[in-house]
Amino acid sequence: MRIDPKLKPSDLTKPLQRLFDLAGRKVRDIDRTWDVSRGTPVFTVEGKYTTRGWTEWTQGFVYGCAILTFDVTGDRALLKLGRDRTRRHMPPHITHVGVHDHGFNNLSTFGNLRRLMREGKFPHNEWENEYYELALKSSGAVQAARWQGIRVEKPSPLSANATQLGYIYSFNGPHSLFVDTMRTIRILGVAWQLGHRLMHENDRAADLLKRAVLHGLATNQYIIFHGQSQHTYDVRGRTAHEAIFNRNDGLFRCRSTQQGYSPFSTWTRGLAWAMLGYAEQLEFFATIPEGKFKQSVGLPRRDVMRVFTQAAVETSEHYIEDCSALDGITYWDDGAPGLAQLQGWRDRPADPFNDYEPVDASASAIAAQALLRLGRHLNKPRYTQAGLSIARTLLSDTYLATSPKHQGLLLHSIYHRPNGWDHVPKGRKIPCGESSMWGDYHLLELGVLLHRLSSGGRYLTFFD
């Protein structure tokens, strides 16, 4: 991709104002027209949000969009909408034992509301704060309970030479580790920071920070490729969607995919989840004293941060050098077969309206935030400027849904290409022109971060 070395957050002030103006209208439109008995808005078809019952992992994004828009605009009607809908519809997600999505649903709602109250964006109420904190504690513990250990026969530098490893398993079952979960484990960090533990039989306590750390170490060892073998698919920074473990003996068996093209290519939204998950965890770990960290995790903080830095840098470099087009936007998978028909696709801006393979702007919105955070944490302008360059593209007319008839915000988002779930407009050969609830939410989250960077506001984090 082409990185603009001179771009500043303040250069995006007007596009960001347009984004949040649009968001205020579209959040209201969705709330006014959506029938909650139908399920949860997931993605658009011909500009109107529809549902796809799978795990209802996007409901927190629906109300989170209202809360984030209030964060920037101060529109208290949107705050009221976000608070009311969170209280009414989100409690079942707190104790949902069947998914790996707690960090998506509950930090987007309860977490954002708690953060804004503590920042003084609306009046502090002790009981309301306690309600949000109890929700976050409970959600973190329920998420951590989906735990499976990994049999470590030989400690590896890829997992900080840990003699214990494990992972929060996906909704597919105990054998399955998803790359997505790198961004949801932050709910464990918040619950740990609030002093919470997961209690097992005989009053055995599980440390939530430790489980988050071991999950990230396992993801680096078994999901991320590091270019250390002779396998042709072993490209440094590449991510698989899924790792499969034999639950009879706890050993790793193979990589797999659910939403990517293959286990040996890069599903770009999965890559972006890893980029952002590791970057945020690095920011979080840096605030924890070394002694307290080792007491919880049993490993030196510097060793863990070295591995998490490796993961963040390698995935970010893979995004910049291998997966993105000239303007920083990715297609849905770097191994998608139709890319062979788009020769030189890395050397020109992404084309959402081509006839062969769809772009996934939602992956780019997630990745842009990751690059901004990693650049700040490492003091590496390359990543900061890459994040800003992607953001500028996403806020352009090509990707921002400016039509009042379109309920989405971020155009050209892809959900599940292998299953054919995404809408193909009449006269087109591939999906394009549609939005997703996670894409809209993460564009707004990116927008809040950029707004605060440009205005000198408080830096946005998921933790205190």
Side-chain angles (χ1 to χ4, degrees):
M1 66 172 286
R2 178 186 293 150
I3 298 173
D4 186 339
K6 297 182 179 180
L7 193 60
K8 304 184 297 295
S10 59
D11 294 333
L12 303 176
T13 299
K14 287 186 177 179
L16 287 171
Q17 182 178 350
R18 181 171 70 158
L19 168 65
F20 285 99
D21 286 345
L22 289 167
R25 295 195 293 270
K26 296 191 179 202
V27 164
R28 287 180 170 87
D29 181 39
I30 294 168
D31 187 70
R32 183 176 61 253
T33 60
W34 186 260
D35 179 2
V36 294
S37 68
R38 295 169 51 199
T40 302
V42 178
F43 54 74
T44 63
V45 173
E46 297 180 351
K48 300 297 180 185
Y49 262 104
T50 61
T51 192
R52 166 66 71 169
W54 202 10
T55 63
E56 305 297 349
W57 68 289
T58 61
Q59 191 161 24
F61 297 148
V62 179
Y63 311 131
C65 284
I67 298 166
L68 291 178
T69 305
F70 159 76
D71 191 339
V72 171
T73 66
D75 186 335
R76 299 190 75 83
L78 294 178
L79 172 63
K80 183 178 187 302
L81 190 159
R83 289 164 92 185
D84 290 350
R85 303 302 184 265
T86 295
R87 178 180 55 82
R88 188 181 307 171
H89 299 301
M90 294 306 295
H93 293 284
I94 299 170
T95 53
H96 193 336
V97 300
V99 297
H100 57 273
D101 300 318
H102 282 247
F104 292 144
N105 268 316
N106 297 322
L107 277 178
S108 303
T109 48
F110 300 105
N112 276 330
L113 287 168
R114 174 180 179 267
R115 173 180 59 80
L116 288 168
M117 179 186 288
R118 292 173 65 81
E119 289 177 353
K121 292 292 185 74
F122 61 94
H124 182 83
N125 178 285
E126 189 59 33
W127 275 106
E128 185 176 355
N129 183 67
E130 289 283 350
Y131 172 64
Y132 296 147
E133 291 190 352
L134 181 60
L136 295 168
K137 291 175 184 177
S138 301
S139 177
V142 171
Q143 184 76 115
R146 292 181 65 80
W147 186 254
Q148 287 291 324
I150 296 171
R151 181 174 158 191
V152 179
E153 294 191 312
K154 182 180 180 182
S156 168
L158 296 174
S159 49
N161 294 307
T163 57
Q164 288 180 290
L165 284 176
Y167 57 93
I168 293 165
Y169 59 89
S170 82
F171 68 83
N172 272 352
H175 62 285
S176 169
L177 163 61
F178 270 11
V179 69
D180 317 34
T181 313
M182 264 313 299
R183 226 249 155 164
T184 74
I185 58 168
R186 56 196 193 134
I187 192 73
L188 277 69
V190 170
W192 175 85
Q193 196 174 48
L194 291 171
H196 201 55
R197 298 174 295 171
L198 170 64
M199 300 304 297
H200 289 289
E201 286 84 354
N202 298 308
D203 281 344
R204 288 187 300 112
D207 189 285
L208 300 181
L209 178 62
K210 180 177 182 178
R211 289 202 170 177
V213 168
L214 296 185
H215 178 99
L217 295 175
T219 299
N220 186 59
Q221 182 170 345
Y222 297 109
I223 289 278
I224 299 175
F225 293 88
H226 299 283
Q228 297 177 343
S229 75
Q230 298 302 310
H231 296 137
T232 58
Y233 54 77
D234 188 4
V235 175
R236 181 174 177 261
R238 171 169 282 167
T239 56
H241 185 186
E242 185 178 29
I244 301 294
F245 293 84
N246 183 338
R247 290 319 321 161
N248 289 329
D249 58 15
L251 290 176
F252 170 73
R253 296 306 304 152
C254 63
R255 293 176 173 93
S256 181
T257 191
Q258 301 295 316
Q259 291 170 258
Y261 176 67
S262 84
F264 308 113
S265 61
T266 302
W267 173 52
T268 53
R269 193 164 82 246
L271 174 68
W273 289 136
M275 291 167 62
L276 183 51
Y278 281 107
E280 284 189 312
Q281 292 298 311
L282 285 168
E283 292 179 325
F284 178 42
F285 296 165
T287 69
I288 303 172
E290 176 75 45
K292 188 173 184 181
F293 186 96
K294 188 168 185 181
Q295 182 180 10
S296 278
V297 178
L299 295 168
R301 189 185 66 169
R302 63 182 180 277
D303 292 349
V304 170
M305 292 188 70
R306 175 184 51 78
V307 171
F308 276 54
T309 300
Q310 174 192 30
V313 167
E314 289 185 356
T315 52
S316 294
E317 288 293 334
H318 182 48
Y319 183 99
I320 293 170
E321 295 295 334
D322 303 322
C323 294
S324 59
L326 192 67
D327 57 0
I329 307 301
T330 62
Y331 291 84
W332 73 281
D333 192 295
D334 76 341
L339 291 179
Q341 304 295 324
L342 299 173
Q343 292 186 11
W345 61 267
R346 293 185 183 89
D347 301 322
R348 58 180 185 269
D351 179 9
F353 304 107
N354 75 85
D355 289 337
Y356 301 102
E357 294 291 355
V359 303
D360 187 0
S362 72
S364 298
I366 298 162
Q369 184 182 165
L371 290 163
L372 289 171
R373 293 186 180 280
L374 185 62
R376 181 178 184 270
H377 175 74
L378 296 179
N379 192 25
K380 294 283 188 181
R382 168 179 168 81
Y383 300 131
T384 301
Q385 297 309 126
L388 290 171
S389 299
I390 297 167
R392 179 175 59 187
T393 304
L394 294 173
L395 294 170
S396 70
D397 288 342
T398 301
Y399 290 95
L400 195 61
T402 58
S403 169
K405 296 181 179 179
H406 199 298
Q407 289 186 320
L409 280 170
L410 179 62
L411 298 174
H412 314 307
S413 181
I414 293 297
Y415 190 9
H416 205 312
R417 180 64 171 153
N419 278 2
W421 286 356
D422 300 280
H423 177 65
V424 180
K426 186 177 180 180
R428 295 286 178 186
K429 295 182 179 180
I430 63 167
C432 61
E434 303 295 350
S435 301
S436 66
M437 194 53 67
W438 64 89
D440 290 356
Y441 177 87
H442 282 87
L443 182 63
L444 289 174
E445 198 173 67
L446 172 64
V448 173
L449 177 61
L450 288 168
H451 172 75
R452 293 188 174 200
L453 290 173
S454 64
S455 64
R458 180 174 177 173
Y459 185 68
L460 180 69
T461 64
F462 71 87
F463 54 90
D464 284 341

